[in-house]
Amino acid sequence: TLAAPAIAQTNPRITWRLASSFPKSLDTIYGAADDLYNFVSEATDGNFVIQPFAAGEIVGALQVHDAVTDGTVEAAHTAGYYFWGKDPTFALGCAVPFSLSSRGMNAFMYEGGGNELYNEFLAQYKIIAFPGGNSGTQMGGWFRREINTVDDLRGLKMRIGGFAGKVLEQLGLVPQQIAGGDIYQALERGTIDAAEWIGPYDDEKLGFVKVAPYYYAPGVWEGGPMWHFYFNTDAYGALPENYKSVLRTACDAANVRMLSKYDYKNPTAIKTLVGQGAQLRWFSKDVMDAMFDAANRTYEEYSATNTHFANMWGAIKDFRSEYYTWAQIADYNYDTYMMIKQNEGAL
Amino acid sequence: TLAAPAIAQTNPRITWRLASSFPKSLDTIYGAADDLYNFVSEATDGNFVIQPFAAGEIVGALQVHDAVTDGTVEAAHTAGYYFWGKDPTFALGCAVPFSLSSRGMNAFMYEGGGNELYNEFLAQYKIIAFPGGNSGTQMGGWFRREINTVDDLRGLKMRIGGFAGKVLEQLGLVPQQIAGGDIYQALERGTIDAAEWIGPYDDEKLGFVKVAPYYYAPGVWEGGPMWHFYFNTDAYGALPENYKSVLRTACDAANVRMLSKYDYKNPTAIKTLVGQGAQLRWFSKDVMDAMFDAANRTYEEYSATNTHFANMWGAIKDFRSEYYTWAQIADYNYDTYMMIKQNEGAL
């Protein structure tokens, strides 16, 4: 049986652990790790197992990149912007204010050399990453009072993530870091005035509508946030070529599936939330312009001293301009017409 | 070596042929079949081979579904609306006028039970299908003269695909079936007044801008056209479970990759076309409303007599209304703002 060793070699038994930055209650996000597990396990007849663990089971949500770097786990599923404090380039693969939408991110990362730039940066951490999900544009968050002018942001205590918080600080906003499970109480007690979380499907679960009814759109700091699967480069490099390919293809599939889940679940959730009293509001152009200018100051600041950041942000910026020229021609006019018909009650 | 037969069984050598409905010159669309071949071959160490053949190499572009049904080939990559004449339900998995955008189609097909409905219909043809690409909203086509009113459509000889042609016929338009390679000459000679093809990247190659400079958006008959991989149900059913999973996951990956290619290539192409003299125009609301009403008459007509059509169109319609309620809140306002900044020269 000459062939046996060669065949056996192609499907070796390999078991990896994946540390998710998310709790299982965020089923749509956490689900991407389940999808990866299922796709890879099925494709290899159960020989290549990537067992997912929720945040805190092996390491905390914000330690998953370190765990991949030092080989505590072979894999993570995370949002790169969690690690902006270590280097803001982490955030560029995920979401920064006024970056690309979900389709734009896919185009940039898959076709525009974006993922290669991201992996050049991540190599120093012994991480290789592939896109692993998107939520579409998130909501701007829940506010206890209306935001009508840029001045209304001054002194506003808002639960908002790191990179976006740094940008909004320039407008006098006071960013707060609060874990998901503690946001409701902080809003209820008035310890904070506002909180951004994700979008209708996930926000509904936490009940914010009862304590901060003004629900603002759009979440300009997360126009198309991209989750990633991070893999330890040694572990990835040691895989047989067929497993590497299975892994990459499974990441692509998990990526498209997460956005589809959000696009299917959010429509129902937004209706429920409005039924529960959510007051939809939109940031004014003045408010968004002030945020936009603040974001650009941040990008200039980082680009001046951080080569990886400068290269990757420069590439995003170049493509962003091209993308938003084309996007406004066919898709945008189609969507606009369909929305008009929806609002006419004709769909 | 007890294990050898069991292991060997999991990676059997299987060679399939895939008939594409497309020529290799449409590299973005045809490329999805190459992607499937690569993903599946790599994942199985070259043991499961799905060799793609361009339109005409085994069967013609419009015969690929029959070739899958009768087992001439095990697989096809096609646009379901080509077969609308056999049953209009074929088109619902692909594109019909005023249906879902690309993200909406993914959400409906993957999460909303759409692909299950499509496969219930396709089972009678011994076909099982999985999503296999999208172009985003296509352009409305190239016109030798401007279309300002619904009356301007009357008597207009336009190269346009079957299902959309049937809808537009109601407005006095005279649909023409002309192969891609013959469109340019027909426009140049004035045999036809207009032609729809795909979008900037593919349209540029055929040079229409020189003979029909008015380039209309949006392509309301293809808001989010979805290509599919069709597989013969017997061939699919005979696959080991791991190959079935590899195949499904590879289809997902090919699906997200095709849209990313278009979203990356179209921005450059539209700039080139405008540089070559393309005059961008938009269908007026009156014109689109007339097309919308005509489409609805067609859907009612088919739904009255075709159960598969009625079920699947009903499901699309229900989700379409939900989708376009949510879509206008976060993503749309984000995109709108980014487009305004682009047009201000600020991106």
Side-chain angles (χ1 to χ4, degrees), chain A residues 264-324:
Chain A
Y264 191 72
K265 291 170 186 287
N266 275 328
T268 306
I270 192 74
K271 276 206 307 194
T272 304
L273 287 168
V274 169
Q276 292 172 349
Q279 305 286 315
L280 288 174
R281 293 290 184 276
W282 283 265
F283 291 126
S284 70
K285 180 155 190 304
D286 280 353
V287 166
M288 289 198 279
D289 279 350
M291 294 174 177
F292 182 81
D293 293 342
N296 284 341
R297 286 191 292 272
T298 303
Y299 302 140
E300 280 170 29
E301 178 193 322
Y302 287 140
S303 295
T305 58
N306 183 324
T307 307
H308 282 298
F309 189 94
N311 287 345
M312 190 160 170
W313 175 248
I316 291 173
K317 201 166 173 297
D318 288 347
F319 179 60
R320 185 181 64 167
S321 172
E322 307 260 312
Y323 179 78
Y324 276 113

Side-chain angles (χ1 to χ4, degrees), chain B residues 156-161 164-166 168-169 173-177:
Chain B
L156 193 88
K157 292 196 291 293
M158 181 169 180
R159 187 271 179 196
I160 187 164
K166 181 185 159 66
L168 294 178
E169 254 179 345
L173 185 138
V174 187
Q176 311 281 311
Q177 306 282 350

Side-chain angles (χ1 to χ4, degrees), chain B residues 29-78:
Chain B
I29 301 176
Y30 183 84
D34 280 338
D35 280 350
L36 189 78
Y37 165 82
N38 287 325
F39 296 155
V40 169
S41 173
E42 289 169 12
T44 62
D45 257 338
N47 285 308
F48 185 13
V49 173
I50 306 176
Q51 186 69 44
F53 292 89
E57 290 187 353
I58 299 175
V59 291
L62 307 184
Q63 278 78 52
V64 302
H65 69 310
D66 284 337
V68 171
T69 300
D70 67 22
T72 302
V73 295
E74 293 83 4
H77 184 243
T78 192

Side-chain angles (χ1 to χ4, degrees), chain B residues 237-284:
Chain B
L239 290 177
E241 292 304 313
N242 58 333
Y243 281 17
K244 282 185 193 166
S245 177
V246 164
L247 195 61
R248 290 191 303 262
T249 304
C251 289
D252 286 9
N255 185 34
V256 65
R257 293 290 181 137
M258 193 204 288
L259 183 59
S260 296
K261 287 172 193 164
Y262 272 114
D263 285 342
Y264 191 72
K265 291 171 186 287
N266 275 328
T268 306
I270 193 72
K271 276 206 307 193
T272 304
L273 287 168
V274 169
Q276 291 172 350
Q279 305 286 313
L280 288 174
R281 293 290 184 276
W282 283 265
F283 291 127
S284 69

Side-chain angles (χ1 to χ4, degrees), chain A residues 10 42 45 99 103 245 252 257 263 271 282 285 289 322 328 332-334 336-337 341 343-344, chain B residues 10 42 45 99 103 245 252 257 263 271 282 285 289 322 328 332-334 336-337 343-344:
Chain A
T10 63
E42 289 169 10
D45 257 339
S99 185
R103 279 176 58 178
S245 178
D252 286 9
R257 292 291 181 135
D263 285 343
K271 276 206 307 194
W282 283 265
K285 180 155 190 304
D289 279 350
E322 307 260 312
Q328 65 192 277
Y332 186 78
N333 282 289
Y334 186 74
T336 300
Y337 180 77
K341 298 310 278 186
N343 297 343
E344 287 177 359
Chain B
T10 63
E42 289 169 12
D45 257 338
S99 185
R103 278 176 57 178
S245 177
D252 286 9
R257 293 290 181 137
D263 285 342
K271 276 206 307 193
W282 283 265
K285 179 153 191 301
D289 279 350
E322 307 260 312
Q328 65 192 276
Y332 186 78
N333 281 291
Y334 187 75
T336 300
Y337 180 77
N343 297 343
E344 287 177 359

